[in-house]
């Protein structure tokens, strides 16, 4: 085995003895609390005789699925009892000191959300459009996914990238300006990664050449981009908006046949080229990070740069190139705020999405697929809040708007379990 391969450590080993592993109560107790919430709130407080309706298809689908009409109270009781059974199973597995696998949290979370929706939509004189919820979840996740991929590539290379927020905002700004000047959303799409890469150039210049604290320089770059774009917005864009800040939108490109599949077709296959690029980037990163020479070298300089240097890898050059490429990815994500939605540029329109993207990266354990699902979770929680706020719900709208930020706090606080960042993350390397 080569020195480079030994430099890249796998996930932390499980504790050797099955019987000596401590009982992990965190998730079983959480499941039990949520099951109790489902029974005591969703089931008991569902109005008697109320019904909840879900719309599962659109007019362009191959098959028109009728509206799903459920009796609210029996449905919430059934779902609550199933959740209680899953919580009991999780407790039993915890006592046995055995792992439950990924299927349990996925199934439990899906059923809990369904129980919440049945309760929230009971007798609201409206149909809950599930396709709209899922489409909104994917759309809201796009900048988060690009930002998480940016952070993943940078931190796997050993560079902490707090400047994702600034890179998203810079991408949104340049995409809007270039698209407006050339009256072409596709021109803005080409310009957005350039803006993100330029911010990354500044990050690597100070972090690698002058070894400035990477967290500090990231915060400074965020402030710099916010100030610069706000200044240009106030002095240039607003004075001649028709030239510099006119709305341009990427057209939707439905994939024949696939876009007409009920439920998943409108959500996944009736999107803009920006979303399709997101699919490609996540898939390529998942393969290249773990199955290619580039990925091996990237992980080597992030885990053990000295060992990587001894086998001829230029550590600092690798970090600079990868971080600039990651900045370009974040710039693409920023384009979604403007040309992706057909909006003109506005001050600070990224609205903290870069920091939520960092939380998604941590929640996904620096893995492209894990970060993808974590970002989708944040987008889904926001989409549910938006839809339920329009149809009316017993939950205050302010609480619904807080959902993605509550999830972010739990993620960065370590609720998902112990996560290990790359060993040399944030540590400058001198040959």
């Amino acid at each position: 085995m080569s020195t480079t391969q030994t430099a890249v450590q796998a996930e932390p080993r499980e504790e050797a003895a099955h019987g000596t592993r401590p009982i992990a109560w965190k998730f079983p107790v959480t499941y039990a609390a949520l099951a109790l919430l489902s029974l005591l709130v969703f089931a008991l407080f569902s109005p008697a005789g109320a019904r909840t309706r879900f719309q599962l298809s659109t007019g362009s689908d191959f098959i028109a699925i009728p509206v799903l009409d459920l009796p609210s109270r029996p449905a919430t009781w059934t779902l609550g009892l199933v959740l209680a059974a899953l919580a009991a199973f999780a407790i039993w597995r915890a006592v046995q000191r055995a792992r439950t696998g990924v299927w349990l949290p996925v199934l439990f979370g899906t059923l809990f959300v369904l129980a919440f929706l049945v309760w929230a939509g009971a007798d609201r004189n409206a149909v809950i459009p599930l396709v709209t919820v899922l489409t909104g979840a994917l759309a809201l996740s796009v900048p988060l996914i690009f930002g998480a991929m940016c952070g993943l590539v940078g931190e796997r290379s050993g560079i902490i990238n707090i400047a994702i927020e600034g890179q998203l905002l810079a991408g949104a700004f340049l995409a809007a300006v270039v698209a407006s000047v050339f009256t072409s959303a596709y021109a803005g799409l080409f310009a957005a990664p350039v803006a993100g890469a330029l911010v990354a150039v500044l990050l690597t210049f100070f972090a690698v050449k002058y070894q400035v604290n990477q967290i500090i320089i990231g915060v400074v770059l965020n402030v710099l981009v916010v100030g610069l774009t706000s200044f240009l917005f106030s002095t240039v864009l607003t004075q001649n908006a028709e030239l510099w800040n006119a709305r341009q939108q990427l057209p939707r490109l439905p994939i024949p046949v696939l876009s007409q599949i009920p439920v998943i077709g409108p959500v996944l296959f009736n999107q803009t080229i920006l979303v399709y690029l997101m699919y490609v980037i996540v898939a390529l990163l998942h393969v290249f990070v773990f199955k290619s020479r580039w990925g091996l070298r990237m992980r080597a300089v992030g885990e053990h740069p000295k060992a990587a240097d001894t086998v001829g890898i230029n550590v600092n050059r690798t970090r600079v190139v990868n971080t600039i490429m990651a900045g370009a990815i974040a710039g693409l994500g920023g384009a979604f705020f403007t040309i992706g939605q057909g909006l003109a540029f506005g001050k600070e329109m990224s609205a903290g999405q870069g920091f939520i993207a960092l939380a998604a990266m941590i929640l996904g354990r620096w893995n492209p697929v894990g970060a993808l699902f974590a970002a989708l979770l944040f987008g889904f929680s926001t989409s549910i809040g938006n839809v339920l706020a329009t149809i009316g719900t017993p939950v205050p709208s302010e609480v619904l708007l807080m959902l993605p930020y509550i999830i972010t706090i739990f993620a960065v606080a370590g609720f998902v379990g112990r996560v290990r960042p790359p060993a040399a993350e944030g540590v400058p390397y001198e040959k």
Side-chain angles (χ1 to χ4, degrees):
M1 182 178 292
S2 68
T3 309
T4 305
Q5 290 172 318
T6 58
V8 182
Q9 301 297 327
E11 296 295 328
R13 296 180 179 178
E14 296 183 4
E15 299 194 26
H18 177 75
T20 60
R21 183 188 298 130
I23 297 177
W25 288 111
K26 181 167 54 179
F27 285 105
V29 170
T30 302
Y31 295 150
L34 292 177
L36 192 62
L37 174 67
S38 179
L39 289 170
L40 296 182
V41 177
F42 302 159
L44 285 179
F45 288 94
S46 289
R51 305 190 73 84
T52 306
R53 292 170 290 278
F54 295 95
Q55 183 179 2
L56 302 175
S57 64
T58 62
S60 61
D61 294 345
F62 280 133
I63 302 173
I65 302 176
V67 172
L68 181 63
D69 194 338
L70 298 175
S72 303
R73 179 169 287 183
T76 51
W77 272 109
T78 301
L79 291 169
L81 292 174
V82 174
L83 290 172
L86 292 175
F89 174 76
I91 293 173
W92 175 73
R93 294 289 288 176
V95 172
Q96 298 294 317
R97 292 179 172 84
R99 300 188 184 278
T100 56
V102 178
W103 67 269
L104 181 59
V106 172
L107 178 60
F108 190 96
T110 302
L111 294 178
F112 181 80
V113 170
L114 183 58
F116 170 72
L117 290 176
V118 171
W119 168 72
D123 268 0
R124 296 293 159 190
N125 296 320
V127 178
I128 298 177
L130 281 183
V131 174
T132 301
V133 172
L134 295 176
T135 303
L138 180 62
L140 292 166
S141 301
V142 169
L144 300 180
I145 294 170
F146 277 112
M149 296 304 112
C150 166
L152 183 149
V153 172
E155 297 201 8
R156 282 282 189 179
S157 303
I159 300 293
I160 298 176
N161 191 352
I162 303 296
I164 297 175
E165 176 76 8
Q167 291 165 335
L168 290 174
L169 189 60
F173 175 82
L174 195 59
V177 171
V178 172
S180 179
V181 170
F182 290 94
T183 63
S184 170
Y186 287 105
L189 185 65
F190 281 103
V194 175
L198 289 176
V199 178
V201 168
L202 293 176
L203 173 64
T204 55
F205 178 75
F206 289 102
V208 175
K209 183 175 179 60
Y210 293 105
Q211 299 184 358
V212 178
N213 183 284
Q214 294 170 13
I215 296 177
I216 294 176
I217 188 59
V219 173
V220 170
L221 286 174
N222 285 335
V223 175
L224 173 65
V225 173
V226 169
L228 182 61
T229 56
S230 297
F231 171 75
L232 292 175
F233 175 79
S234 301
T235 58
V236 178
L237 272 63
T238 56
Q239 291 182 4
N240 192 354
E242 292 185 0
L243 173 64
W244 298 107
N245 200 21
R247 295 185 178 186
Q248 300 290 334
Q249 185 171 10
L250 292 169
R252 288 186 178 272
L253 303 173
I255 299 177
V257 180
L258 294 179
S259 62
Q260 296 176 308
I261 299 174
V263 183
I264 66 171
V267 176
L268 299 178
F269 306 115
N270 186 18
Q271 297 292 343
T272 65
I273 190 173
L274 186 60
V275 178
Y276 296 138
L277 282 174
M278 180 193 73
Y279 297 161
V280 172
I281 288 173
V282 173
L284 291 179
L285 283 180
H286 181 66
V287 174
F288 288 161
V289 167
F290 301 107
K291 303 293 183 180
S292 71
R293 177 180 296 181
W294 169 78
L296 182 64
R297 291 185 173 188
M298 177 181 68
R299 289 180 289 134
V301 301
E303 292 286 350
H304 202 315
K306 187 173 182 179
D309 193 11
T310 59
V311 296
I313 298 175
N314 189 320
V315 173
N316 286 331
R317 184 176 65 188
T318 300
R319 288 181 169 181
V320 168
V321 171
N322 288 347
T323 305
I324 293 175
M325 182 185 70
I329 294 174
L332 275 175
F336 178 81
F337 294 116
T338 50
I339 60 174
Q341 301 182 91
L343 299 176
F345 180 80
K347 287 184 179 181
E348 301 182 45
M349 66 187 311
S350 54
Q353 298 292 291
F355 300 107
I356 298 181
L358 277 175
M361 178 197 67
I362 297 171
L363 187 60
R365 298 172 183 265
W366 289 267
N367 182 293
V369 174
L372 167 69
F373 284 106
L376 288 172
L377 175 63
F378 294 130
F380 183 71
S381 64
T382 305
S383 181
I384 285 181
N386 293 339
V387 171
L388 292 184
T390 60
I391 68 173
T393 174
V395 182
S397 59
E398 293 81 5
V399 174
L400 296 174
L401 293 174
M402 287 169 54
L403 283 177
Y405 301 100
I406 293 173
I407 295 174
T408 302
I409 291 171
F410 279 115
V412 299
F415 183 78
V416 296
R418 186 178 63 181
V419 292
R420 187 184 69 86
E425 174 189 79
V427 179
Y429 180 71
E430 288 185 299
K431 191 174 179 66

